Amino acid sequence: MGTRVVTRVEIRADTERAHRPVGAVAEIIGLPADSLHRYRIRFADGGEASVRRKEISILSHYKQEEAGLPHPIVERDLTPYIIYRCVVGSRAYGLEGSESDTDRRGIYLPPAELHWSLHGAPEQLENAETQECYWELRKFIDLALRANPNVLECLYTPMVEHATPLAHELLAMRAQFLSKLAYQTFNGYVLSQFKKLEQDLRAKGAIKWKHVMHMIRLLLAGITLLRDGELPVDVGEHRERLLAIRSGQMPWQEVETWRHELHGNLDAAYRTTKLPDRPDYDAADRFLIKARRSAL
């Protein structure tokens, strides 16, 4: 709702005889119930029409197409510029099963000419079939400075498959990305997700136990991070209890009791943590500039 679109064919508004031309700009005001129904759009002058999805383009996509700026991934393979590849997810946590995927994450450093060009460098490369995702270096650093759990796990996972000398430099300075911001990030994310899980439980009578397990795992990791100044990836001694949650064997009330206990432990760790208030932005900036120069 509210997305600006451009018409790909002539469209007649409900109360008008004349057709709106190809390229007319409108706003989505109604969504279809399914793929067989139509979108409802409103033009700038208030005229409205019902259209099929193939009859409109999203405005931002339309402008890019008309300017002749296809996405750089379409034109060139950027995988040779991957400087870091690691395994995260269940296999890194020690929670894998016989059917677990292998989730790979990492970093790529685009060549300077692509970064400078009109195309620009995509913020991430994704391959859903192989469960891979690689962040552009600046994006990765920005997320790490914000204490993003998924990105910090990449810096601390023991399952590293590929790392260039530049990536090794980044791993050597990983502690400089840690700060008290982790408390707000980890705590806030778990609170918001549990609120959604409780809503699902009330509305549907069922929840995704795997998701519950990972929220508890995140709390455990946050406690250790604040207390010891290092992010644990493998769940260690908590493995059996976490697997009991995933399989639905632990009652919801017991999960809630454990969660509230962990929130208390997280608060206590925050009060006594020796982590700095903010990460070392200057060190991160120096590293990024060095990496950019190396891409020349």
Side-chain angles (χ1 to χ4, degrees):
M1 296 287 283
T3 301
R4 291 180 297 166
V5 296
V6 178
T7 58
R8 300 179 66 91
V9 297
E10 290 187 342
I11 300 293
R12 179 179 291 171
D14 296 341
T15 59
E16 301 171 11
R17 292 184 178 181
H19 285 79
R20 298 299 175 100
V22 174
V25 177
E27 178 185 14
I28 292 177
I29 60 171
L31 302 175
D34 53 46
S35 60
L36 299 177
H37 291 77
R38 296 178 174 232
Y39 286 82
R40 190 74 180 164
I41 62 173
R42 178 183 294 137
F43 297 98
D45 61 4
E48 298 182 7
S50 295
V51 296
R52 293 188 292 269
R53 179 62 183 89
K54 65 181 182 181
E55 296 176 331
I56 55 175
S57 290
I58 296 174
L59 177 60
S60 59
H61 296 177
Y62 178 84
K63 289 191 293 186
Q64 181 166 306
E65 291 170 5
E66 290 302 302
L69 298 176
H71 201 287
I73 293 180
V74 175
E75 294 191 331
R76 68 188 300 179
D77 178 18
L78 296 177
T79 54
Y81 301 99
I82 293 172
I83 63 172
Y84 182 63
R85 180 187 298 110
C86 64
V87 175
V88 294
S90 295
R91 296 193 182 280
Y93 305 145
L95 296 169
E96 75 277 9
S98 59
E99 298 181 355
S100 295
D101 295 323
T102 299
D103 299 318
R104 291 181 171 87
R105 300 290 182 268
I107 308 166
Y108 88 101
L109 177 63
E113 65 270 15
L114 177 61
H115 193 76
W116 293 333
S117 73
L118 284 172
H119 296 296
E123 290 190 337
Q124 61 189 53
L125 313 176
E126 293 185 81
N127 188 328
E129 292 183 4
T130 58
Q131 299 292 312
E132 293 180 81
C133 176
Y134 301 95
W135 288 280
E136 193 276 323
L137 179 60
R138 184 188 181 282
K139 180 67 174 181
F140 182 92
I141 289 176
D142 182 63
L143 291 171
L145 290 170
R146 297 170 186 266
N148 180 285
N150 294 326
V151 167
L152 291 181
E153 285 174 2
C154 291
L155 293 174
Y156 280 88
T157 178
M159 302 179 70
V160 176
E161 294 185 337
H162 168 69
T164 65
L166 191 67
H168 279 295
E169 285 187 42
L170 183 64
L171 292 176
M173 58 179 286
R174 62 188 181 183
Q176 292 171 285
F177 290 96
L178 304 182
S179 72
K180 291 179 180 178
L181 289 174
Y183 171 78
Q184 285 81 17
T185 303
F186 283 64
N187 206 15
Y189 184 69
V190 171
L191 286 171
S192 66
Q193 291 302 306
F194 257 90
K195 184 176 180 180
K196 294 178 182 178
L197 288 167
E198 289 169 344
Q199 290 172 347
D200 287 343
L201 187 61
R202 287 193 298 269
K204 304 175 184 177
I207 55 176
K208 297 178 180 179
W209 287 106
K210 183 178 180 180
H211 196 44
V212 177
M213 177 192 71
H214 282 302
M215 292 304 97
I216 296 295
R217 179 193 58 78
L218 204 59
L219 281 175
L220 290 165
I223 292 166
T224 304
L225 171 60
L226 291 168
R227 186 186 63 212
D228 301 337
E230 187 161 327
L231 181 67
V233 177
D234 190 287
V235 299
E237 63 183 15
H238 303 291
R239 182 176 187 272
E240 295 306 318
R241 292 186 75 185
L242 289 169
L243 290 177
I245 294 177
R246 187 172 70 182
S247 63
Q249 295 177 4
M250 184 180 292
W252 176 255
Q253 190 54 52
E254 186 176 340
V255 173
E256 277 285 77
T257 300
W258 192 14
R259 177 174 75 89
H260 288 299
E261 176 188 337
L262 292 176
H263 275 299
N265 294 341
L266 189 69
D267 291 344
Y270 178 63
R271 288 192 294 269
T272 60
T273 186
K274 295 181 181 179
L275 290 178
D277 292 336
R278 295 290 182 271
D280 193 336
Y281 291 104
D282 291 337
D285 193 48
R286 288 194 298 271
F287 175 81
L288 179 60
I289 292 171
K290 177 182 179 180
R292 286 276 187 262
R293 285 175 175 155
S294 75
L296 289 172

